[in-house]
Amino acid sequence: MHRRFFTRFLIVGLAVSLAAIGWGQTPAETTDPGTITATAVRGNVFATVKATGVRSQIANNAELLQGTIVETEVGASVILVFENGATVNLAEDSQLDIEQFTMDPLTAIVNVATLTTEPTRSNTRLRLNRGEIVGKVATLRTNEGSSFNVSTPVGAAGIRGTTFRIVFRPTGNGQAFTFSMTTLEGDVEVTLASGTVAAPVSVTDNLEIVLAEVTVDIDPVTNVVTVTTAQGAAPIPIVVAASVATTQAIQAAAQQIAAAVVDVVITTTGSVQGGGNTGQQNQQNQQNQENQGNQQQQQQQSPPATQNAPRTTTGDGRA
């Protein structure tokens, strides 16, 4: 009896130990490539597939995958809708490298405009080589292994589910840069590429980090990035309240995103329906359809005209 009890004890203990090991493991990253759809394209926007070097101009509803660099010329912009519902507004004269975008397959239709939590696990890694982005990311399934990171040569931002803006632009001589990361709502953890900050700095609602005229040096052998101020010292990130102008700029970009995705629906196959139009265009299209329906209804209700009766034009160009 004692031996049987001891055996059962070993089995139960082993099961508990294995379960504990499983619970302690970090969830594996997703592996299925997700789809990114371009919408609200304005001006000249180009996509370069890094594996082939093929560069092409993109238009509304163009589908992109990870491993693509998206570039906007002066006066151009584009909104990128990720299959997990995240959206990125890429401003003019910007270059964004989509290094990774993978996610678990969708199990239900996603309405981007009303999404508050991402539908499935996803892993996103973007690199802003230059320019400006405003992003809106639904709450991530971080406990399941989801992540959304945006890096620049100066620093990286870990997004947890928020509306944010990152700017990285040369100041004039092409060697000094301005870097800023602003959170409109939510929480973003920022780490400088130079490694001068031991732990990420948390940037929450209406706060920002600004590093003005920093110099970025990249070692050609080790690829180690060193960021220094004009005085040659390591920059110290200071979290401050975002200015009214900055907040208004982010809100304007967020409104553009909202208008562009008001009717965007992503099906379980990953295809986007309703993209490519702004909210005002969609309302106009709907009004046109209603007008056409009313005209057809009036024509059906009108009595048939006699052969000799004069014909009233309906505006279709016929006499």
Side-chain angles (χ1 to χ4, degrees):
M1 178 180 298
H2 293 289
R3 180 176 299 176
R4 184 177 302 173
F5 174 81
F6 184 68
T7 302
R8 290 179 180 175
F9 178 79
L10 283 178
I11 293 174
V12 173
L14 180 60
V16 172
S17 298
L18 291 176
I21 293 174
W23 292 336
Q25 290 178 345
T26 301
E29 286 195 343
T30 53
T31 57
D32 293 343
T35 303
I36 306 107
T37 303
T39 188
V41 177
R42 182 173 64 93
N44 295 324
V45 182
F46 298 90
T48 301
V49 180
K50 292 190 291 184
T52 61
V54 176
R55 185 174 187 262
S56 59
Q57 188 167 357
I58 62 177
N60 282 329
N61 299 319
E63 293 188 349
L64 310 172
L65 296 173
Q66 62 182 359
T68 302
I69 297 176
V70 181
E71 188 171 6
T72 59
E73 292 187 347
V74 175
S77 63
V78 62
I79 293 176
L80 303 176
V81 181
F82 291 73
E83 192 179 338
N84 66 347
T87 48
V88 170
N89 190 335
L90 185 63
E92 66 172 343
D93 191 22
S94 300
Q95 186 183 89
L96 182 68
D97 186 350
I98 306 171
E99 296 180 333
Q100 178 189 14
F101 176 53
T102 55
M103 62 179 291
D104 290 339
L106 293 174
T107 58
I109 295 177
V110 174
N111 187 330
V112 176
T114 61
L115 196 66
T116 57
T117 302
E118 65 171 346
T120 64
R121 288 188 316 152
S122 65
N123 296 113
T124 306
R125 189 173 67 251
L126 310 177
R127 183 173 179 83
L128 182 64
N129 293 325
R130 74 170 189 277
E132 174 185 336
I133 63 171
V134 171
K136 183 175 177 60
V137 179
T139 301
L140 298 176
R141 299 175 181 266
T142 53
N143 60 327
E144 300 176 21
S146 290
S147 61
F148 195 107
N149 298 305
V150 183
S151 66
T152 72
V154 170
I159 313 299
R160 294 179 176 271
T162 180
T163 301
F164 65 95
R165 183 178 77 161
I166 298 177
V167 179
F168 178 68
R169 291 195 181 279
T171 56
N173 56 14
Q175 295 179 347
F177 296 84
T178 295
F179 167 81
S180 67
M181 210 302 304
T182 312
T183 302
L184 186 62
E185 57 183 3
D187 186 10
V188 176
E189 293 187 342
V190 178
T191 305
L192 292 186
S194 61
T196 56
V197 180
V201 177
S202 180
V203 183
T204 55
D205 296 7
N206 293 313
L207 298 179
E208 69 177 349
I209 288 177
V210 178
L211 302 177
E213 296 190 3
V214 293
T215 300
V216 180
D217 293 319
I218 303 177
D219 190 294
V221 178
T222 63
N223 289 324
V224 172
V225 178
T226 303
V227 182
T228 56
T229 64
Q231 292 74 28
I236 300 176
I238 300 176
V239 180
V240 298
S243 66
V244 175
T246 297
T247 301
Q248 291 177 344
I250 299 175
Q251 290 174 340
Q255 289 174 358
Q256 293 176 357
I257 292 176
V261 303
V262 67
D263 66 338
V264 171
V265 174
I266 303 175
T267 67
T268 53
T269 60
S271 61
V272 174
Q273 298 178 356
N277 293 325
T278 64
Q280 293 178 346
Q281 289 174 330
N282 292 327
Q283 293 175 1
Q284 183 63 47
N285 293 338
Q286 183 178 0
Q287 185 65 44
N288 292 339
Q289 291 176 358
E290 292 177 355
N291 293 338
Q292 291 176 359
N294 293 335
Q295 290 176 356
Q296 292 176 355
Q297 185 176 5
Q298 292 174 359
Q299 291 175 0
Q300 291 175 356
Q301 294 176 351
S302 300
T306 61
Q307 184 175 2
N308 296 329
R311 181 179 183 276
T312 302
T313 179
T314 60
D316 57 1
R318 293 181 295 173

